[in-house]
Amino acid sequence: MITESQYDDKAVDFREMVAAGDYFLHTLKKGQVIRILDLEGNQAADTLFFNAEDPGERYSAMDTIREQGNVYLTAGSVLRSNENNPMLEIIADTCGRHDTLGGACATESNTVRYALEKRCMHACRDSWMLAIAEHPEYGLDKRDISHNINFFMNVPVTEAGGLTFADGISAPGKYVEMRACMDVIVLISNCPQLNNPCNGYNPTPVAVLIWDQ
Amino acid sequence: MNEYQYSTEIPGGGHWSFRMRRGTQLRLTDLHGGGNAGMLFYNPENLLERYNAPDTLKCQHTFRLSRGNCLYSDMGRIFASIIEDDHGWHDTVCGNTRYSHIAEKWGARDYQHHRNGWFQNGHDAFLVEMEKYGLNRQDLAANVNWFSKVATDKEGNLYLDDTTARAGDRVVLRFEMDTLVILHSCPHPLSQADSYPALPIQVELGLAAPIASDDVCRNWCEENQRGFQNNALYHLGT
Ligand SMILES: [Zn+2]
């Protein structure tokens, strides 16, 4: 559902660019609003959320889609944890649909999906591994790295049970915006994938904006 | 090979775990029809390697699991192949019931008052089995729900299609590497049954036949051929 933001970009409290292939790790306070902005279009932001008080509680794709009864994410979707608690709510979305089935790219899955020799190409899970290795203060480990959201990705499910990786439906300037229902750690891998037509084989930067109220 | 050396019945709302060796197979039977078996997979030699639903789906371009599909770990390897399947469509995205779901739908029943007639939930059932191996909620991944067909409409709305369930439906998994299997027989979270569906699942364990050149799982797609190559590399020297 296309829903425009109520927030003014000029009054933003925090803004950071995330280059393709980099990670973004930040704690969002309850009530704060985060926007992920697709600057050049058809980028994928592979995102995980954790309860900042207790990182063993984290975003759960299955709790989220089961409780909303729908496989796609958009404005109005409540992102739920593995304890089935609301973590964030999507309050604005100019893209209309985001994927949470397809998961993140990994060097290991790249060998299966594309070719065995793709093993050393940079992948989202490597960005997450670097993030948790460089930031032990967040208390995250490999067990916490699970089934994520792919903001700006379109992965349609057919009625016959197929899963298709469609061309992106995002475009330069499209964004998704969420309000935190609890203090949450945000971990984004700005996808470096060079093998997937979804991003036109051209990973590009995204921006993260945060409003305090 | 169809000799199963061990057979047991998991009553509805139960849980169990076992370690499968490479080259063994597991046959599940939905004895009454409409049953559900939740399942998770871990590498017993490295519990950090576990079933990965997104990789399983996207590597095979499918939202449903059936004969020919392989169950992938997060390390690009195959835990098990679905070599036979009567049901045709199994779910791996809806997760589990929780205590609150069960209480809301079918009323709260606890062990103190109802003994073995209590209503267990899938989430707690998994946690109980997982803790026995040092695994906890951080290790909980998206699980398979055998015998539950969850489809979507054009808008992506999910529904549980129980019209295809038949008594005696079977699914057979052939293990391609040593695997710790965690199992529960609690209801599917989208179940609309009038009363708590306490439906038993039969589990049979045996040895698998060698993989033939025309193997349906290995040849299902180029991705699966590469998955088997990753397993061969993992088993190099054995
Ligand atoms: Zn990626």
Side-chain angles (χ1 to χ4, degrees), chain A residues 44 46 103-106 122-125 150 189-193:
Chain A
D46 292 44
C105 63
H122 191 43
C124 280
R125 202 155 61 117
N150 295 309
S189 162
N190 190 20
C191 185
Q193 184 56 255

